[in-house]
Amino acid sequence: MSTPATDVKAPDLNAATAIAHPSRFLRALVNGAPIYPLLILFGLNCVDQLDGAAFGVLLPEIRRTFGLNLTGLLTLGAITGVVGLLLQVPIGLLADRTRRTSLALIGAAVWGVFSFATGLAPTVVALGIFRTAGGLGKAVVGPTHNSLISDYYQPNVRVRAFSFHQGAAALGNFIGPLAAGLIAYYSNWRVPFFVFAVPTMVLVVLGLRMREPVRGAQERKAMGASQEVIDTEEIAPSFAESWRMVWRIEALRRIWYALPFLALATIGYGTLASLLYDQKFHLDERARGFIAAAIQPAQLIGLFIGATIGFRLMTRNAGLALKLISVTSLLSAGFAALFALAPTLWLSIVANILLTMAGAVLSPAITASLTLAIPPSARGVGLSVGALWIIPGLLVLPVIGAIGDHWGLSRGMLVMVPVLLIGGFVVASAGNVIDRDIKQVWTSAAARSELLHERRAGRQKLLLVRKLNVSYGTVQVLFDVDFDVEEGEIVALLGTNGAGKSTLLKAIAGVIEADRGAVIFDGREMSFAPPNEVAGRGVVMMPGGVAVFPTLTVQENLDAASWLPRRTGNTAEMFAKVLDVFPELQRRLDEPAANLSGGQQQMLGLGMAMLSKPRLMVIDELSLGLAPLIVDRLLHVVRDLNAQGTTIIIVDQSVDLALTVARTAYFMEKGEIRFHGPTAELLERPDLLRSVFLEGAGAATRTDDEVGTANTGASTAPTHTRPAHSVTEECVLETRGLSRRFGGVTAVDRVDLRVMRGEIVGIIGANGAGKTTLFDLISGFTPAHSGTVAIGGRDVTAMRANQRAARGLGRSFQDARLFPSLTVQETLTVALEQSLGSRSMFAAALHLPQVYDSERKASTRVDELIELFGLEAFRHKFIRELSTGSRRIVDLACIVAHNPTVILLDEPSSGIAQRETEALVEVLLNVRERTGASLVLIEHDMPLIRAVSDRLVAMDLGRVIADGDPTTVLHDPQVVAAYLGGERAEAMGLVASGASSTTDLTTSNTNTEEPR
């Protein structure tokens, strides 16, 4: 993928220009941008390396001064290194919210002071303290320098800027060992630390002229934003939001996983190189200094090559730079092994030179790629959190030292070769995903720019959602969702069960984390903000059915919801307002919320949301299971809140209710926004409402002639030709007067259902109709309050679930809970456990014949199931590797394994892609043909259920309201009214005047508001 950042052509550079015209070279290096900040950062990075290189080359003298062995020396290095690394995260967080130029200069001053103090250290404890304190200053370099360079210079020239900046390390490592070795040779090891503190302080003074750049300005400029947008500083996220933001960057995570291995290898080789020259080749400090200095030009050469290659790779594809690390890792591992085993000094030096050069080639491109993949507002944290992953590698350094003490230094260094290889290949794997991560940053930046543009044009969009993707584990639920809400409006979010409505609301509220995409609220991105911070910004969610804490009293629920108002000091005023709106709560303040009726619990939930005085209120299923009078009261409160300035998003099972109260509506199906527009326009499209709720959204794209056919009652949804199948008169499943109540709510109300052998019966109904509860009653998971269940003519009402299964009843659930660590073949074998002829573990231990026969039969049955369901290609794949659709097929195969006579399927298409849904039609028909079993399925995908069902049963509020062939049922006035609302359906001409409506049906359920 070529990102917008790489579309601008930067001038090519060459070594001849650098030598002949250095000023021209520097200007071309940054494409005309100010060079002064890069020179200061270069100098600071260089003097930082002077101190570190001097300490490395003088280690043998320091070791002898304080009487340390190899293990003790590496332990000291590990401890001081760990402290510095731990400090990088808070420094990175500070860098995202303060002046980074000041932070960089303060850090330089700190390490300058403690570099001077290193030369004064009287004891090993003092030495450890001074080196650790100096590490505090050095910890500032990574989060601040890289972040500053990213905002000083355009994305397309960052590889060069980072190469130049990292060249300072090579220069410091050249001058440092040479100068430290010579100075120490003619004086002692303490003097170089006094000398190197001087240039550090000089650079700190010169750095006071640096200007602080605007975070993210270069990205916005590359996108073509206006100067006003470019200069707009983004609000710094909290640490929790920053962490969630950077953890979602897959390329960054993979690099973090590699860091312990790379740190152990690179730091280990850097630390032990001087000791190897001392012990193996008996070189003094002057000779070691010359060698260390002579090696550093190789790093400069590597960086120059890296700048050239990296620029070209970044122009083509950012992932290529990371993928090529696998080649570099192989080369580095070979050079590292040669370095450790070299029998002669010259061969050891050559290997060290090649190792240094290989490590420097792609480092700038990696850093530049990461700055593109990390959002500008969280760059400090993103670049610093990696320091924590280095710590495990440092903690293993003493182990390498112990190996060197006992088996020789060369063998200790050789151990790190495979470690280096592992780290390199893990980093290379990030090349496969970094383009997606960069695209995520651009999506967020584009969404913010769009919102600013809309606000300047007078279109006050409060909420902007762009390309939002959300998954639960491996199951993706939302697919590139775009969703807009203007300030002060009420928006209805509609769709069938499983469409992704609640998931979208939870992603907006921060309850679940987005995978990709952007959520911008009031001009500020909150795609990855935790829910408490989202609520603090003015977004409050009222979840459907679980809006209160049932074990707490009403007073305690209100107290818990007042954590936000307590900050503003208006708790008492808001309490009084809530109790004035809902006087029923005043009388029951000391009662547990569980004792309230359904309507009173919704009142309490709405009151808890009101306490926060939200700018945006998100309401999920306001009217679920409530009587019309209560719904009218709650809607009146919602309208009042909106009139007072609260923007509202409402999801409700009643289309009539949602469209009445909202000005704008969105329709969702299978995790995607299918249609959206003003309510007034949508109310004039009865074909659209019918297609979404009764025929599937795909039907809405039919021609006008086809729509007309649909409105006359002709069936157009089925796209599969069902083979002729004989349905016998034998009843295999029957329920009579089946009822179930939950408190005061009647979930299933006197349901009669008959299923014949070989018949496929579909059950439809809006959310809360009682469909899944009916399945729970039939399968024995929930006891019925009245009525009977018969399987194959035998009454099983008193039987447990396993006994009903033994009578021939199979049942699936909405989420296929299979063992993720088993293969498909193993999963099907486990499903046959109850059918095994021999289940004795003693017989299995003795390998008796009956065990062999039983296992052979099970294996044959597994082969049959794999052939029946077309699973041969997945036989040896783990369940966790399968798509959601494939897992559902395996789940169905596990049910069929028991040869059931009746199979209950609860939303088999939920959460699976459209192509898998289409394939599911043939699978279900094939199961019926091959096994002779009857199928009863709950489904909201209307094309699917029409394609497979011989008969449809429609439910509403626990009752059966229609039963017959699919076309007749889907055009039944009561069914249309149940989905769209009676008054709305009648007004649109979808039902005759005076037909039964949802209001009529809910009137019979007024007992739902009786106290429990």
Side-chain angles (χ1 to χ4, degrees):
M1 177 187 96
S2 178
T3 65
T6 63
D7 291 341
V8 181
K9 178 65 176 175
D12 289 329
L13 303 178
N14 55 65
T17 304
I19 296 171
H21 305 282
S23 60
R24 185 189 305 172
F25 172 83
L26 291 175
R27 287 195 298 272
L29 179 75
V30 292
N31 203 21
I35 192 65
Y36 185 78
L38 185 59
L39 292 175
I40 294 297
L41 296 175
F42 176 92
L44 292 176
N45 194 21
C46 182
V47 294
D48 172 31
Q49 297 302 319
L50 289 179
D51 173 82
F55 191 80
V57 79
L58 298 174
L59 269 180
E61 285 69 34
I62 296 173
R63 175 184 177 185
R64 285 190 282 269
T65 298
F66 296 106
L68 295 171
N69 61 13
L70 187 59
T71 303
L73 193 64
L74 290 180
T75 302
L76 174 64
I79 293 174
T80 56
V82 165
V83 173
L85 292 171
L86 287 174
L87 291 170
Q88 282 209 22
V89 176
I91 289 173
L93 184 64
L94 197 60
D96 286 333
R97 55 191 63 242
T98 60
R99 286 179 57 86
R100 291 160 291 176
T101 52
S102 301
L103 195 59
L105 296 177
I106 292 171
V110 169
W111 87 58
V113 169
F114 285 101
S115 175
F116 188 90
T118 298
L120 301 174
T123 65
V124 69
V125 175
L127 179 68
I129 292 173
F130 295 154
R131 298 308 296 174
T132 302
L136 167 63
K138 295 180 181 184
V140 172
V141 173
T144 58
H145 286 210
N146 291 333
S147 180
L148 283 168
I149 291 172
S150 299
D151 287 324
Y152 277 128
Y153 304 109
Q154 300 169 12
N156 63 307
V157 298
R158 279 183 198 164
V159 176
R160 293 172 174 174
F162 283 121
S163 296
F164 185 77
H165 180 257
Q166 292 176 24
L171 183 61
N173 286 326
F174 174 78
I175 297 174
L178 187 62
L182 288 173
I183 294 171
Y185 181 79
Y186 292 107
S187 54
N188 63 66
W189 68 265
R190 297 178 184 272
V191 176
F193 296 100
F194 303 149
V195 174
F196 293 157
V198 176
T200 301
M201 295 306 175
V202 173
L203 284 165
V204 168
V205 174
L206 293 175
L208 295 174
R209 292 178 51 197
M210 284 196 301
R211 178 182 57 83
E212 179 74 15
V214 177
R215 291 175 178 82
Q218 298 297 339
E219 280 77 8
R220 294 191 289 273
K221 182 178 180 181
M223 289 171 56
S226 65
Q227 192 61 43
E228 180 185 353
V229 175
I230 292 172
D231 294 335
T232 302
E233 181 77 70
E234 294 188 34
I235 301 174
S238 67
F239 176 73
E241 184 177 359
S242 297
W243 172 255
R244 286 164 62 123
M245 195 182 298
V246 299
W247 183 252
R248 284 291 179 179
I249 304 172
E250 189 173 352
L252 189 58
R253 289 204 311 272
R254 296 192 185 192
I255 292 174
W256 287 344
Y257 299 153
L259 284 179
F261 301 97
L262 295 177
L264 176 60
T266 55
I267 297 174
Y269 275 107
T271 304
L272 298 177
S274 186
L275 295 171
L276 181 71
Y277 291 131
D278 177 52
Q279 289 186 7
K280 190 172 182 178
F281 301 109
H282 311 292
L283 301 181
D284 60 26
E285 59 268 41
R286 181 176 58 176
R288 295 194 305 272
F290 277 118
I291 292 174
I295 289 171
Q296 292 314 306
Q299 185 174 356
L300 289 173
I301 295 172
L303 287 171
F304 191 85
I305 295 172
T308 304
I309 295 176
F311 172 74
R312 293 174 181 173
L313 292 177
M314 291 288 290
T315 302
R316 291 174 53 196
N317 188 313
L320 290 177
L322 299 181
K323 291 178 181 178
L324 284 179
I325 290 182
S326 57
V327 178
T328 307
S329 299
L330 283 172
L331 294 174
S332 298
F335 299 147
L338 181 61
F339 182 35
L341 300 175
T344 60
L345 177 61
W346 71 268
L347 187 58
S348 176
I349 294 174
V350 169
N352 200 352
I353 290 173
L354 294 174
L355 179 62
T356 302
M357 185 185 300
V361 168
L362 291 177
S363 178
I366 294 173
T367 308
S369 298
L370 289 180
T371 62
L372 288 172
I374 301 173
S377 60
R379 265 198 197 119
V381 171
L383 293 171
S384 63
V385 168
L388 298 179
W389 295 81
I390 296 176
I391 293 175
L394 291 181
L395 296 178
V396 181
L397 272 180
V399 177
I400 302 298
I403 294 173
D405 283 334
H406 288 85
W407 289 286
L409 187 57
S410 295
R411 293 184 180 179
M413 297 175 71
L414 201 59
V415 170
M416 293 183 288
V417 172
V419 175
L420 177 62
L421 269 177
I422 294 171
F425 279 106
V426 174
V427 172
S429 71
N432 299 321
V433 297
I434 193 166
D435 284 328
R436 292 206 312 261
D437 295 324
I438 293 173
K439 184 179 180 181
Q440 163 65 24
V441 174
W442 288 93
T443 297
S444 300
R448 289 190 296 271
S449 297
E450 179 183 347
L451 186 60
L452 288 171
H453 175 74
E454 291 292 324
R455 284 182 175 270
R456 286 199 306 272
R459 296 185 289 270
Q460 299 293 319
K461 289 189 177 180
L462 182 66
L463 178 71
L464 197 71
V465 177
R466 287 292 177 268
K467 304 298 180 185
L468 191 68
N469 290 265
V470 176
S471 300
Y472 294 106
T474 58
V475 180
Q476 186 168 350
V477 178
L478 298 185
F479 301 85
D480 291 333
V481 170
D482 291 342
F483 185 73
D484 300 354
V485 179
E486 294 187 10
E487 191 159 14
E489 73 171 340
I490 301 179
V491 174
L493 184 59
L494 307 172
T496 58
N497 191 30
K501 307 183 300 297
S502 296
T503 299
L504 175 57
L505 298 187
K506 290 176 181 177
I508 293 171
V511 177
I512 58 175
E513 294 184 44
D515 295 330
R516 299 188 183 280
V519 178
I520 314 294
F521 177 73
D522 195 25
R524 180 176 178 183
E525 184 175 5
M526 59 178 195
S527 310
F528 304 100
N532 60 304
E533 293 184 14
V534 173
R537 297 174 190 176
V539 179
V540 174
M541 179 177 180
M542 179 181 167
V546 288
V548 302
F549 301 102
T551 58
L552 300 183
T553 66
V554 172
Q555 178 70 53
E556 290 167 341
N557 270 278
L558 294 172
D559 288 339
S562 65
W563 66 280
L564 280 175
R566 275 196 291 266
R567 298 179 181 179
T568 59
N570 61 349
T571 307
E573 176 186 343
M574 292 305 302
F575 258 76
K577 182 176 181 180
V578 169
L579 296 179
D580 180 59
V581 173
F582 301 119
E584 296 93 332
L585 302 181
Q586 175 75 60
R587 299 189 295 269
R588 309 187 71 173
L589 285 175
D590 297 325
E591 290 191 40
N595 290 351
L596 302 181
S597 66
Q600 289 168 343
Q601 287 190 19
Q602 290 290 73
M603 293 177 190
L604 177 56
L606 191 55
M608 292 166 66
M610 290 170 57
L611 277 175
S612 303
K613 297 188 68 174
R615 294 189 61 190
L616 173 64
M617 182 180 290
V618 178
I619 303 175
D620 194 2
E621 300 289 7
L622 179 69
S623 68
L624 183 61
L626 303 183
L629 291 177
I630 301 299
V631 173
D632 287 343
R633 282 193 59 192
L634 295 177
L635 282 179
H636 180 72
V637 174
V638 168
R639 288 191 179 98
D640 284 348
L641 288 171
N642 179 248
Q644 295 168 17
T646 301
T647 305
I648 293 171
I649 303 173
I650 185 167
V651 169
D652 203 89
Q653 60 177 334
S654 171
V655 180
D656 184 36
L657 179 152
L659 293 183
T660 299
V661 74
R663 288 193 320 212
T664 304
Y666 282 79
F667 291 99
M668 291 190 70
E669 184 183 49
K670 289 190 174 294
E672 298 179 349
I673 299 292
R674 296 296 191 185
F675 317 99
H676 77 278
T679 304
E681 294 181 11
L682 293 174
L683 293 179
E684 298 173 358
R685 291 284 308 277
D687 60 304
L688 180 58
L689 294 176
R690 181 189 296 279
S691 70
V692 170
F693 290 97
L694 297 177
E695 297 173 8
T701 61
R702 298 195 304 266
T703 65
D704 292 339
D705 292 339
E706 292 172 318
V707 170
T709 303
N711 287 334
T712 61
S715 175
T716 60
T719 58
H720 297 78
T721 303
R722 264 199 319 271
H725 183 84
S726 176
V727 177
T728 70
E729 295 300 318
E730 178 187 356
C731 181
V732 293
L733 173 66
E734 183 177 16
T735 69
R736 288 184 177 275
L738 207 59
S739 298
R740 172 70 194 191
R741 295 179 301 280
F742 294 99
V745 177
T746 301
V748 174
D749 189 7
R750 300 187 297 271
V751 169
D752 294 337
L753 177 68
R754 287 172 59 84
V755 179
M756 302 304 173
R757 180 173 296 278
E759 186 179 24
I760 299 180
V761 177
I763 299 182
I764 64 171
N767 297 349
K771 306 181 298 295
T772 298
T773 302
L774 176 61
F775 270 21
D776 289 340
L777 297 176
I778 294 172
S779 54
F781 289 101
T782 301
H785 285 140
S786 63
T788 61
V789 179
I791 299 175
R794 180 177 176 181
D795 191 335
V796 297
T797 310
M799 291 186 181
R800 297 188 300 272
N802 62 311
Q803 294 173 318
R804 300 187 192 195
R807 294 289 303 172
L809 182 67
R811 164 78 190 272
S812 77
F813 297 86
Q814 291 183 22
D815 50 343
R817 296 184 179 180
L818 303 174
F819 299 104
S821 59
L822 296 184
T823 65
V824 170
Q825 179 172 305
E826 291 167 343
T827 301
L828 294 175
T829 304
V830 170
L832 290 168
E833 187 268 342
Q834 291 288 341
S835 305
L836 293 176
S838 174
R839 300 168 60 194
S840 170
M841 62 178 179
F842 297 106
L846 296 173
H847 300 285
L848 296 180
Q850 61 264 38
V851 175
Y852 173 79
D853 291 339
S854 178
E855 291 179 348
R856 182 173 54 81
K857 291 178 182 178
S859 178
T860 301
R861 179 59 175 156
V862 168
D863 292 340
E864 293 174 355
L865 292 169
I866 287 176
E867 188 273 333
L868 172 63
F869 289 94
L871 294 171
E872 185 59 46
F874 306 106
R875 179 189 289 266
H876 300 296
K877 285 187 176 291
F878 292 108
I879 295 296
R880 64 171 174 266
E881 298 174 344
L882 304 181
S883 68
T884 304
S886 298
R887 284 199 302 272
R888 291 199 179 279
I889 298 299
V890 176
D891 181 44
L892 182 57
C894 291
I895 298 170
V896 173
H898 297 286
N899 294 313
T901 56
V902 182
I903 301 175
L904 308 181
L905 302 174
D906 196 349
E907 297 194 35
S909 74
S910 176
I912 67 176
Q914 185 61 41
R915 58 181 180 81
E916 294 177 318
T917 300
E918 294 169 358
L920 187 61
V921 173
E922 301 299 336
V923 171
L924 294 177
L925 294 174
N926 195 32
V927 168
R928 192 259 301 269
E929 297 300 321
R930 296 281 295 272
T931 67
S934 302
L935 277 65
V936 184
L937 66 152
I938 296 170
E939 188 52 70
H940 288 276
D941 188 312
M942 291 302 170
L944 169 64
I945 202 167
R946 292 185 67 175
V948 301
S949 299
D950 300 301
R951 180 162 56 94
L952 283 186
V953 175
M955 295 184 64
D956 186 53
L957 295 176
R959 291 182 175 182
V960 173
I961 58 174
D963 187 344
D965 68 86
T967 300
T968 302
V969 169
L970 289 175
H971 291 83
D972 185 284
Q974 291 192 77
V975 176
V976 175
Y979 273 98
L980 305 183
E983 295 179 2
R984 182 66 51 208
E986 182 178 329
M988 292 177 145
L990 295 175
V991 300
S993 177
S996 299
S997 68
T998 309
T999 306
D1000 299 328
L1001 293 167
T1002 53
T1003 305
S1004 64
N1005 249 10
T1006 54
N1007 64 336
T1008 59
E1009 300 314 314
E1010 291 299 319
R1012 295 178 182 172

